[in-house]
Amino acid sequence: MADSKKFYAGGGGDLGIYHDGTDNYIDNTNGDLYIRNTHDDKDVILQSDNGSGGVEAYITLDGSAETVNIDKELHLSTHLDMGDSDRIKLGDSDDLQIVHDSNINFIHSTSSNTDLYIRMNDGGSSVDAIIIDASETGQVRLPNDSQALTFGAGDDFQITHDGSNTYLNNG
């Protein structure tokens, strides 16, 4: 088939597949567009040139694990590009949202009275490093004794509580 000639399917040409001499297109003009793999436990794999003359899988929809994998082993700058005010939504009701809006960043919970926990691995187990308590507006807690709030480029000022005593240290 020659360049810019389209293959059409559907009564009104609802699905078009074509090459314009430079790029390739799949156009859908009616309803949703589904790309399906109905074979049990098999994947849908999106591949592209890797910049070194080969082809690599960049996104895999894993049918056996019900996950989406973005290939991090390519050692490229793997990231998700989104515009201002676009949202990453997590949870069955989109309860957790991450948004960048021009010059402000938000981590937003749409559920009522939901706390934000920042958890870290201390070399063996997960610990709550910081808790922002929604029921105590403005309260930020460091839940473990001897954690310190530090201020300044050289940690010049520290506030610490050891379980019994509170220390203000101006280094």
Side-chain angles (χ1 to χ4, degrees), residues 117-120 126-131 141-144 147:
Y117 286 74
I118 298 175
R119 291 196 171 135
M120 310 294 282
S126 260
V127 296
D128 296 334
I130 299 173
I131 300 171
R141 297 185 318 141
L142 301 178
N144 301 304
Q147 285 181 287

Side-chain angles (χ1 to χ4, degrees), residues 142 144-151 155 157-170:
L142 301 178
N144 301 304
D145 290 337
S146 300
Q147 285 181 287
L149 280 176
T150 60
F151 302 87
D155 297 334
F157 179 65
Q158 296 181 354
I159 302 172
T160 309
H161 180 75
D162 67 7
S164 301
N165 301 295
T166 301
Y167 302 93
L168 303 176
N169 183 11
N170 189 13

Side-chain angles (χ1 to χ4, degrees), residues 43-170:
D43 305 335
V44 173
I45 302 166
L46 299 179
Q47 296 180 321
S48 187
D49 176 74
N50 65 4
S52 299
V55 175
E56 296 287 343
Y58 285 91
I59 299 175
T60 300
L61 307 176
D62 189 329
S64 61
E66 296 181 16
T67 61
V68 176
N69 300 311
I70 298 175
D71 191 341
K72 294 180 180 134
E73 294 183 22
L74 296 176
H75 305 292
L76 300 172
S77 178
T78 304
H79 57 274
L80 174 64
D81 291 328
M82 298 175 65
D84 287 345
S85 301
D86 290 342
R87 297 172 184 267
I88 295 172
K89 297 179 180 181
L90 304 167
D92 289 340
S93 301
D94 297 333
D95 340 44
L96 175 64
Q97 299 181 12
I98 302 171
V99 185
H100 171 74
D101 188 11
S102 294
N103 60 354
I104 300 171
N105 299 305
F106 298 94
I107 297 175
H108 175 69
S109 175
T110 61
S111 300
S112 62
N113 196 25
T114 304
D115 300 337
L116 176 64
Y117 286 74
I118 298 175
R119 291 196 171 135
M120 310 294 282
N121 186 313
D122 69 353
S125 61
S126 260
V127 296
D128 296 334
I130 299 173
I131 300 171
I132 301 174
D133 189 335
S135 63
E136 301 290 333
T137 303
Q139 182 181 18
V140 176
R141 297 185 318 141
L142 301 178
N144 301 304
D145 290 337
S146 300
Q147 285 181 287
L149 280 176
T150 60
F151 302 87
D155 297 334
D156 303 328
F157 179 65
Q158 296 181 354
I159 302 172
T160 309
H161 180 75
D162 67 7
S164 301
N165 301 295
T166 301
Y167 302 93
L168 303 176
N169 183 11
N170 189 13

